[in-house]
Amino acid sequence: MKSKRSVELWSVRELPALAFLIIAVAVLWIKIPSFRLEVNLLATAREMAIAGIMGCGMTMVIITSGIDLSVGSILAVSSVVMAKLMVDGTPVWIAILAALVVGLILGLVNAILINRFRVPPIITTLGTMGILRAGATLFTHARCIAPLPRALDVLSTGYVPLLMLIGIAALSTLFLTRTRPGRYVYAIGGNEEAARLSGVSIAKTRTLVYSLNGLLASVSGLIIASSMSSAQSNVATGYELNVIAAVVIGGTSIAGGQGSVPGTMIGAAIMAVLYNALILTGVPIHWHKVIIGGVILTAVLFDKMRSLGRK
Amino acid sequence: MRSLIRAKESVVLLMFIVVFAAFAVTTDRFASVDNLLNIARQYSELAVVAVGLTMIIITGGIDISVGSIVGLSSITLGVLAGQMHMNVWAACAAAMAVGLLCGTLNGLVITKLGVQPIVATLAMMSAARGLAFVLSGARSLADFPDSFVGLGQTEVGPVPFIGYIPLSVCLALLLAVCGFVLLRFTSLGRMIHAVGFSEEATRLSGIGVVKVKVFAYSLTGLLCGLGGIMMTARVASSVPDAGNGFEFEAITAVVMGGSSLRGGEGSIIGTMIGVAVMGILRNGLNLRGVPNTWQVLFLGAMLILAVLADNLRVWMRSRLESRQQALEPSKAEA
């Protein structure tokens, strides 16, 4: 009986990351009074929401054994388009809708390049990463677009980002675990050839996943634009690596076929809490990258140890 | 024509010719020997790094930490020689050792611990760049002896028709030739291809897959160290964000050159032409006063275009082969 339970414990992918998160939060809660402040917790939650919402899409992409390096650039394009529309006097909700559509379409473009023209995902999105970032800069003439209407502020106030994250994460989890296309996502990541031979439409599944990923990037863009009350073309540069790190820390395998949205949420929380802790404890900013690199590696090693322990 | 379709370097060669011709016609200063040598000097570091990266990509791996390792080794050199006034050659050796160490660490984490290459090198990318900033205190370091800085300006020659060639360009060419020979004519080179083509089959035939992979990553680390030294000598200072974005330029050059990210095939010649395309594109656009933003856009488009063109080439090759197969039985009957 006892051994059975320990086997079950080992089989929980997210366990090491969750344990790390709980310990980290507990230590910070006790040791650093300013961590406990509501303002600080909400700011950390907002950072977590920004990475976590993109992480939901990225998790799906990585489960199909793909990758998307262009999310930061998609975010930039959709938020500058939205800001321009708002500044030009378009109603706020139409501008938000436009941003979401832009994100969706850009994700679709990635999918078309990958499906139709058989360009590997890492190359496609490396290319679109550069092209879209440049596009955003050309669109804004490298100027900051501000101020945005106050109506947008609600998206980054209080618990709103966290609630958005919870809603999107719940929907993504339902999609991945309870629907047929969701299971196809795991199937093509596990063995693409076998999935194809069993009648799974790889192109359709991939199109869905990359489009959703683009859409979710633009949602994160809304929160960033709202909290800054402005949009500029270099927003979220290099953010793709943060998102990928959150996904990987959460136990999703880059090799595809395995992974979960709750794991990614834990990963996003770890990244947000860690950055927050580094800032609160006054660690020089140059050490941040060294520490984040170490954490990514440690998380992956823990995951390896866990799978060895299960064997 | 047929051999053109077969050769994986033909796409990148075509790109080179088109881009070169376009700039030679539209820009009067572009096609001068001085300008071309200047491009070669600026891109020699990228070429050195890309030689190693080609091998990694042939094994089916990837390394996105190359830019950060270049930065870290450049800073190592800067701190030891510029700040602590150590002997500059000993500092160079230390910088290369740091590069080698980072590369070997990548290789060991990937093989011994079974971490995916992109994740392992993502961690290294972050850690090495961070260390470069920590060690330098985010300052640029410049207090190198003249004997070292002069190296960046040293030229070899005169070579007929060209004149004096920068030492760094000679070094890059020499290393490219070594890489070519290693991949084409040695058993190690064949093992590198075999690992990328089918790791399982390679392992079952008794080849030490771990050793081959660790070699590829260590060599790339060492070459990054050398690249960092070359860059420091060229600009006579070391900055912590040296080599920033190198990983993307190097991967673009390698992929444009016809290496497949699926592993098993690749070509140093293709990579070198890829680096050259990158160099002349950047330089030509600079001469025409095109802003950096547009250049990035062009590079992104070139990357995707190169892979599309290569798909077209593979498709033509398979048609060619099936046609030949269709012809052969009729010959036998005749």
Side-chain angles (χ1 to χ4, degrees):
Chain A
M1 217 36 205
K2 200 182 168 197
S3 70
K4 189 167 177 245
R5 183 167 298 159
S6 73
V7 167
E8 276 168 3
L9 213 57
W10 276 117
S11 64
V12 180
R13 284 195 77 88
E14 296 83 5
L15 200 68
L18 186 62
F20 180 82
L21 177 64
I22 291 172
I23 294 169
V25 170
V27 169
L28 291 170
W29 195 276
I30 296 163
K31 291 272 178 192
I32 305 171
S34 49
F35 179 77
R36 295 194 292 262
L37 294 179
E38 198 188 1
V39 185
N40 184 57
L41 290 176
L42 284 178
T44 310
R46 191 177 61 216
E47 289 307 310
M48 177 192 163
I50 293 167
I53 290 173
M54 289 162 106
C56 289
M58 188 68 85
T59 307
M60 297 179 203
V61 167
I62 290 181
I63 291 175
T64 67
S65 80
I67 194 132
D68 190 343
L69 301 174
S70 68
V71 282
S73 301
I74 292 181
L75 188 157
V77 171
S78 75
S79 66
V80 297
V81 167
M82 177 185 75
K84 187 84 173 68
L85 287 174
M86 284 179 177
V87 169
D88 288 350
T90 317
V92 170
W93 67 275
I94 293 187
I96 289 179
L97 206 62
L100 299 179
V101 170
V102 166
L104 189 73
I105 290 175
L106 294 177
L108 194 62
V109 170
N110 278 336
I112 290 171
L113 282 168
I114 295 166
N115 280 329
R116 278 291 167 84
F117 300 104
R118 301 191 173 282
V119 183
I122 189 169
I123 299 294
T124 303
T125 56
L126 185 63
T128 50
M129 174 177 95
I131 294 173
L132 294 176
R133 180 68 64 187
T137 312
L138 294 171
F139 182 77
T140 56
H141 304 287
R143 275 196 290 268
C144 179
I145 305 179
L148 299 182
R150 306 237 47 126
L152 193 66
D153 288 357
V154 66
L155 287 177
S156 60
T157 323
Y159 290 94
V160 177
L162 195 60
L163 292 175
M164 285 169 74
L165 174 66
I166 292 170
I168 288 171
L171 286 177
S172 307
T173 310
L174 280 180
F175 167 74
L176 277 177
T177 54
R178 296 273 180 272
T179 70
R180 188 175 299 192
R183 281 193 293 272
Y184 289 170
V185 171
Y186 284 96
I188 64 176
N191 187 336
E192 188 172 321
E193 188 63 14
R196 195 177 61 77
L197 293 175
S198 353
V200 173
S201 169
I202 289 164
K204 271 189 201 158
T205 310
R206 221 184 249 147
T207 306
L208 183 66
V209 163
Y210 281 86
S211 308
L212 274 178
N213 194 34
L215 177 71
L216 292 176
S218 65
V219 174
S220 286
L222 296 181
I223 300 178
I224 296 180
S226 156
S227 68
M228 306 249 201
S229 197
S230 66
Q232 56 192 104
S233 57
N234 65 356
V235 62
T237 302
Y239 215 83
E240 55 282 347
L241 296 181
N242 272 352
V243 177
I244 293 170
V247 173
V248 169
I249 289 174
T252 297
S253 159
I254 290 275
Q258 288 181 314
S260 77
V261 168
T264 301
M265 293 307 105
I266 299 169
I270 289 179
M271 294 286 281
V273 168
L274 201 67
Y275 268 119
N276 187 249
L278 291 174
I279 293 165
L280 290 182
T281 50
V283 172
I285 194 155
H286 311 306
W287 279 102
H288 292 191
K289 281 191 164 194
V290 184
I291 293 166
I292 294 288
V295 168
I296 295 173
L297 202 58
T298 316
V300 177
L301 291 182
F302 261 111
D303 194 47
K304 288 283 156 196
M305 275 161 58
R306 183 194 56 82
S307 52
L308 284 180
R310 197 169 47 175
K311 272 176 204 162
Chain B
M1 185 65 201
R2 279 182 185 176
S3 56
L4 256 186
I5 292 175
R6 284 215 183 88
K8 48 184 169 295
E9 296 89 358
S10 53
V11 169
V12 72
L13 191 61
L14 190 71
M15 275 184 159
F16 180 80
I17 293 169
V18 169
V19 174
F20 192 95
F23 284 127
V25 171
T26 58
T27 318
D28 47 351
R29 277 162 303 170
F30 174 75
S32 68
V33 172
D34 275 346
N35 183 50
L36 294 177
L37 281 179
N38 185 33
I39 301 175
R41 189 204 303 265
Q42 282 176 356
Y43 278 79
S44 53
E45 298 122 27
L46 185 66
V48 168
V49 171
V51 168
L53 192 64
T54 305
M55 294 185 195
I56 289 183
I57 287 183
I58 293 177
T59 68
I62 194 137
D63 188 344
I64 56 174
S65 66
V66 287
S68 298
I69 301 179
V70 166
L72 181 58
S73 61
S74 169
I75 283 299
T76 308
L77 176 61
V79 169
L80 291 179
Q83 213 169 43
M84 296 164 67
H85 301 292
M86 195 174 149
N87 177 304
V88 73
W89 308 117
C92 282
M96 287 184 70
V98 165
L100 180 66
L101 190 72
C102 291
T104 310
L105 209 59
N106 275 337
L108 289 177
V109 168
I110 290 164
T111 52
K112 295 281 181 187
L113 302 175
V115 177
Q116 290 289 329
I118 193 167
V119 178
T121 57
L122 172 68
M124 178 59 79
M125 174 184 174
S126 186
R129 179 66 70 199
L131 268 181
F133 274 93
V134 170
L135 288 176
S136 65
R139 284 187 306 266
S140 73
L141 303 160
D143 189 12
F144 296 107
D146 291 341
S147 59
F148 175 71
V149 174
L151 211 60
Q153 323 301 331
T154 308
E155 292 177 326
V156 180
V159 177
F161 303 116
I162 302 174
Y164 291 89
I165 300 177
L167 184 64
S168 57
V169 177
C170 297
L171 189 59
L173 287 176
L174 180 71
L175 286 169
V177 171
C178 291
F180 176 79
V181 170
L182 188 148
L183 278 177
R184 183 66 75 84
F185 298 111
T186 69
S187 57
L188 181 61
R190 277 189 290 275
M191 285 181 209
I192 289 176
H193 281 93
V195 168
F197 196 73
S198 171
E199 192 171 323
E200 188 60 16
T202 312
R203 196 177 57 76
L204 292 176
S205 15
I207 292 171
V209 172
V210 171
K211 275 186 199 155
V212 173
K213 281 190 173 174
V214 171
F215 169 79
Y217 286 93
S218 304
L219 180 69
T220 304
L222 187 68
L223 291 176
C224 288
L226 183 62
I229 296 170
M230 287 162 71
M231 190 180 275
T232 312
R234 178 166 63 85
V235 300
S237 69
S238 67
V239 285
D241 65 351
N244 205 356
F246 240 51
E247 55 282 353
F248 292 130
E249 291 202 353
I251 293 171
T252 306
V254 174
V255 171
M256 270 206 285
S259 298
S260 163
L261 284 179
R262 292 180 200 91
E265 53 174 351
S267 138
I268 295 282
I269 298 177
T271 299
M272 288 303 115
I273 306 175
V275 172
V277 170
M278 192 96 75
I280 60 173
L281 193 70
R282 285 270 192 184
N283 176 272
L285 293 173
N286 274 337
L287 287 181
R288 293 200 49 80
V290 176
N292 186 46
T293 317
W294 276 102
Q295 296 185 16
V296 174
L297 198 146
F298 270 115
L299 277 179
M302 290 287 275
L303 175 63
I304 292 180
L305 207 67
V307 180
L308 287 183
D310 195 58
N311 286 343
L312 184 68
R313 181 187 63 82
V314 171
W315 179 75
M316 280 165 74
R317 185 177 60 183
S318 67
R319 284 224 5 202
L320 198 73
E321 277 163 5
S322 62
R323 199 184 305 157
Q324 275 173 348
Q325 275 172 358
L327 282 175
E328 269 159 20
S330 63
K331 268 187 209 156
E333 278 168 31

